[in-house]
Amino acid sequence: MNTLKIFSLIGLLLYFALLLIAVTKEKKNHSVLDYFFAGRSLPYWALSITFIASWWGAGSALSTADLAYQDGLGAFWYYGVPVLLSTFLMILCSGGIRRVGYLTQGRMMEARYSGRTAKFLSLLVLVFMVFNAASQMVGVGDFFGTYLGIPYEWAVLLGTLIVLIYSMFGGFRGVVLTDIIQFVLLLISALVVFVVGVRNAGGMTGIQHAVQAAGKPELLNMGDGASKYSMYVITFGCAWMIQANVWQRISAARSDRDARKMTVMSFFAYIPLYLMVVFTGLAGFVLYPQLPKGGVVTALVMDYLHPVLGAVVFIGISAAIMSTMDSLLNTASMTLTLDLLPAHADETKQLNRSRMTTLGVAVAALLISLKIRSILAISWIASDIITTGVFVPLVLGFFWRRGNTSGAFASLGVGFAYCLYNLAISFGAPLPSFWEAQSAQQVILGVALSLVAYVGVSLATPPEYEKADAFIRQAGFRKNK
């Protein structure tokens, strides 16, 4: 075993110990409100950091750099633009989400529509969160496997166990506390890899000359990725705008003003973070004649950093992946515990159930990650479910008073059926298709069908103005008469 691997393993053990100490020394969870929302007592800056850390995961830290190796600045459209789009929409809607008073999306939809509709929506949200967690497990499996030289399966299990242990016992407060630690580590790591990569590539001038010499000037044109990644901008942007772990952070804010400040702070932090990763990928284009096995970031660390500094970066990238995974597991557990399972009268038993559901969703995500070893494939499946199935009734429920329970249920059903149809095609089922698979056309058609079902069925069935008006007024999107 080489020096870098030894230092990395030691660093991983110290990192895990630090997280456990932080979680065990923190205030204990005495209720479900504590476990999933930290008693709504956290400051906006702490929630902003955990918001950033929860979205800065395997795709951001690893996949974007690899795409930038191939597509240059255009790769910013893959994760960067969808994140900025969805965060901007969150800035506009965060106050209303916090004011409405219901802690979960399921509870909101039960107040807006009905219990049956809320259960259906929560089921789709749960599936989305589990698949998304699985994508982070794939990321940690690939990263640990390449870096530490261990089989993918063992790497996935190792990363998942670390996250599961501190998530089960720390709850949301533990997630936030560890995310703050992880954010510091990932920020240091991203900066180190960026500086080392760009410096060894000859700086920005060296990158520009190498791109021109290779006859690929389009790599320095950020707009070049707009058309190629438009499907991800639409799908990821819509999906992440309604992502339950972000709404969880908004609901956990002390006030609607804090909720807005959290999203604004996050928006301006994402811009330099994603640009750093894109330029790291461009540096890799200069330094490697072909995309390295394990990716640009891993190669830069192993080839250009001192073992001690390389171990620090290893921990930082690991933190980026695990900080996203812990958030997804906690929110999936929240959805299952509060929105889908019947409430338990005993608070202690309900709290224990919350820990068990965290374990359950982790096992489900782990099985998916062992079956589908592609971050992009799993992320697409997850985002397609939430975009075509959930986006329309959830978002329009805050604004369109004529939308009713029947319309919402029809919209959920049509969107979910469309997603399953496309999923069957992607797995080889001989079904007719009039659109390109995993394209902007596919996404737009799915959302359009969901919208037509919502509007059409709502207009064809009796309105529910009293319930709708009460909900919309509570969110602050309609003035009291």
Side-chain angles (χ1 to χ4, degrees):
M1 183 177 289
N2 63 35
T3 306
L4 176 60
K5 290 180 181 178
I6 293 172
F7 278 121
S8 297
L9 282 172
I10 293 172
L12 187 62
L13 290 174
L14 292 175
Y15 167 74
F16 183 42
L18 176 63
L19 295 184
L20 284 181
I21 291 170
V23 170
T24 54
K25 291 293 183 182
E26 182 58 25
K27 246 190 309 187
K28 301 294 183 183
N29 294 296
H30 298 293
S31 67
V32 173
L33 182 65
D34 279 337
Y35 191 79
F36 290 122
F37 300 97
R40 299 181 118 179
S41 61
L42 297 174
Y44 77 89
W45 60 265
L47 291 172
S48 179
I49 289 175
T50 188
F51 179 10
I52 297 166
S54 69
W55 274 3
W56 187 261
S60 303
L62 304 175
S63 297
T64 303
D66 294 343
L67 288 172
Y69 178 94
Q70 300 170 335
D71 299 324
L73 295 181
F76 189 76
W77 288 81
Y78 171 62
Y79 263 112
V81 173
V83 163
L84 291 175
L85 172 62
S86 52
T87 306
F88 178 74
L89 294 173
M90 284 288 90
I91 293 172
L92 301 179
C93 300
S94 57
I97 295 170
R98 177 60 179 79
R99 280 192 300 269
V100 81
Y102 300 98
L103 294 176
T104 68
Q105 291 174 334
R107 299 284 176 86
M108 293 176 192
M109 292 301 95
E110 183 174 6
R112 177 62 177 84
Y113 301 117
S114 69
R116 186 182 67 151
T117 305
K119 295 288 186 187
F120 194 179
L121 181 140
S122 298
L123 179 62
L124 299 189
V125 169
L126 176 63
V127 172
F128 167 75
M129 302 307 295
V130 170
F131 269 84
N132 236 355
S135 73
Q136 301 306 308
M137 293 177 185
V138 172
V140 82
D142 287 338
F143 186 61
F144 278 17
T146 302
Y147 211 97
L148 300 176
I150 60 177
Y152 170 81
E153 292 77 11
W154 285 106
V156 172
L157 188 60
L158 174 62
T160 302
L161 279 175
I162 291 174
V163 174
L164 180 60
I165 290 171
Y166 73 75
S167 296
M168 278 184 67
F169 296 101
F172 183 66
R173 185 179 280 107
V175 166
V176 172
L177 183 61
T178 53
D179 277 357
I180 293 173
I181 298 170
Q182 290 164 332
F183 176 75
V184 173
L185 291 171
L186 71 90
L187 182 59
I188 293 172
S189 300
L191 281 169
V192 168
V193 175
F194 164 72
V195 170
V196 168
V198 171
R199 186 182 64 184
N200 282 280
M204 296 301 176
T205 303
I207 292 174
Q208 186 176 11
H209 288 164
V211 167
Q212 297 295 338
K216 294 185 175 182
E218 69 276 5
L219 295 183
L220 298 178
N221 180 11
M222 185 173 290
D224 195 61
S227 58
K228 179 175 182 178
Y229 294 111
S230 59
M231 58 182 175
Y232 297 106
V233 173
I234 297 170
T235 306
F236 289 173
C238 292
W240 296 342
M241 184 261 178
I242 59 173
Q243 196 161 310
N245 58 330
V246 178
W247 287 43
Q248 179 188 20
R249 282 149 179 75
I250 292 171
S251 295
R254 293 172 175 173
S255 65
D256 56 322
R257 183 181 179 186
D258 269 11
R260 186 173 291 107
K261 288 164 71 175
M262 176 198 79
T263 51
V264 170
M265 180 177 172
S266 302
F267 179 88
F268 287 105
Y270 283 130
I271 297 173
L273 285 173
Y274 280 97
L275 285 175
M276 277 196 303
V277 176
V278 169
F279 278 104
T280 300
L282 274 171
F285 174 81
V286 177
L287 298 171
Y288 299 102
Q290 59 186 14
L291 183 65
K293 181 182 179 182
V296 171
V297 173
T298 305
L300 286 172
V301 173
M302 297 180 74
D303 296 339
Y304 290 94
L305 293 182
H306 185 277
V308 174
L309 189 56
V312 172
V313 173
F314 166 74
I315 298 303
I317 301 299
S318 302
I321 301 171
M322 291 191 280
S323 63
T324 301
M325 194 197 306
D326 63 26
S327 169
L328 295 168
L329 292 179
N330 184 261
T331 308
S333 172
M334 176 193 73
T335 302
L336 181 56
T337 303
L338 300 184
D339 294 337
L340 290 171
L341 296 177
H344 204 294
D346 188 310
E347 191 69 47
T348 301
K349 291 182 178 179
Q350 182 79 335
L351 186 58
N352 290 334
R353 176 188 287 177
S354 301
R355 295 192 175 98
M356 290 301 100
T357 55
T358 302
L359 173 63
V361 297
V363 171
L366 180 64
L367 293 175
I368 294 170
S369 70
L370 294 174
K371 185 70 175 177
I372 308 174
R373 290 183 53 174
S374 168
I375 296 174
L376 187 58
I378 296 178
S379 296
W380 176 269
I381 292 170
S383 298
D384 198 30
I385 290 171
I386 204 80
T387 302
T388 58
V390 173
F391 184 82
V392 169
L394 180 60
V395 174
L396 289 190
F398 280 82
F399 302 99
W400 193 45
R401 66 192 294 259
R402 187 61 178 84
N404 63 14
T405 300
S406 299
F409 199 83
S411 178
L412 290 166
V414 168
F416 188 48
Y418 179 81
C419 176
L420 290 179
Y421 187 87
N422 285 305
L423 189 60
I425 293 174
S426 69
F427 280 106
L431 298 172
S433 175
F434 307 101
W435 51 88
E436 183 183 350
Q438 295 190 6
S439 65
Q441 182 186 16
Q442 176 184 320
V443 179
I444 293 171
L445 179 58
V447 174
L449 289 172
S450 178
L451 178 62
V452 168
Y454 182 69
V455 174
V457 174
S458 291
L459 293 176
T461 52
E464 300 167 344
Y465 288 137
E466 185 176 351
K467 181 186 292 186
D469 287 342
F471 183 87
I472 295 172
R473 278 197 302 270
Q474 195 170 352
F477 295 122
R478 185 184 298 277
K479 299 298 182 183
N480 291 311
K481 295 181 179 179

